[in-house]
Amino acid sequence: MLVPRLRNVGWLIAGVLSFALGYLALLLAPAPLTLLWVLLIGCGSILFPVCLVLIHVRTRTHSGTVALSGFAQGTAYALGALGPLLVGLLHDASGGWTLPLLFLLAVTLAAAIPAITLGRPTFVEDELSR
């Protein structure tokens, strides 16, 4: 409900930082506040519905929405389906959680780039016409 009403959704997209902070905290100090770190990671999940709404908000036309949705969701779900498999393989290969958490931290930092781009109040059709 907030995304279409806000001119700047950057602070919602900053939720990607909660993923990074949670993974980093689990790496550096897992025992004292594990529940807090996991809750911090869980707060990052707000990005999923925000990104789905932004697909519609960042397009001017129905055909633009369909094209962006097909590309973004198709790519994201294909890559996302590999995540649990890779985390499991890394855990089995390393025998611990350090390597899987480093992988998740790297993916989070890589995802921050498009997340920052989504925060700009522009439309896909305008970007394509340039």
Side-chain angles (χ1 to χ4, degrees):
M1 291 173 41
L2 287 175
V3 174
R5 291 186 175 106
L6 294 174
R7 178 149 172 79
N8 182 1
V9 294
W11 67 274
L12 284 174
I13 294 173
V16 77
L17 292 176
S18 71
F19 277 126
L21 291 173
Y23 293 138
L24 196 59
L26 280 175
L27 280 167
L28 300 177
L33 298 169
T34 306
L35 181 60
L36 178 62
W37 309 148
V38 173
L39 288 172
L40 196 57
I41 293 167
C43 288
S45 298
I46 191 174
L47 288 175
F48 180 72
V50 167
C51 289
L52 289 177
V53 173
L54 280 173
I55 289 172
H56 174 69
V57 171
R58 296 293 187 240
T59 54
R60 292 186 187 276
T61 63
H62 175 72
S63 60
T65 302
V66 170
L68 181 59
S69 179
F71 171 74
Q73 290 188 59
T75 304
Y77 280 111
L79 289 174
L82 295 174
L85 175 65
L86 290 173
V87 168
L89 290 173
L90 290 171
H91 179 267
D92 287 347
S94 67
W97 288 104
T98 302
L99 196 56
L101 286 171
L102 286 172
F103 168 72
L104 290 170
L105 183 59
V107 168
T108 299
L109 294 177
I113 297 165
I116 291 167
T117 305
L118 281 171
R120 296 183 306 187
T122 60
F123 292 94
V124 172
E125 292 87 352
D126 296 344
E127 294 290 320
L128 292 174
S129 67
R130 289 183 193 175

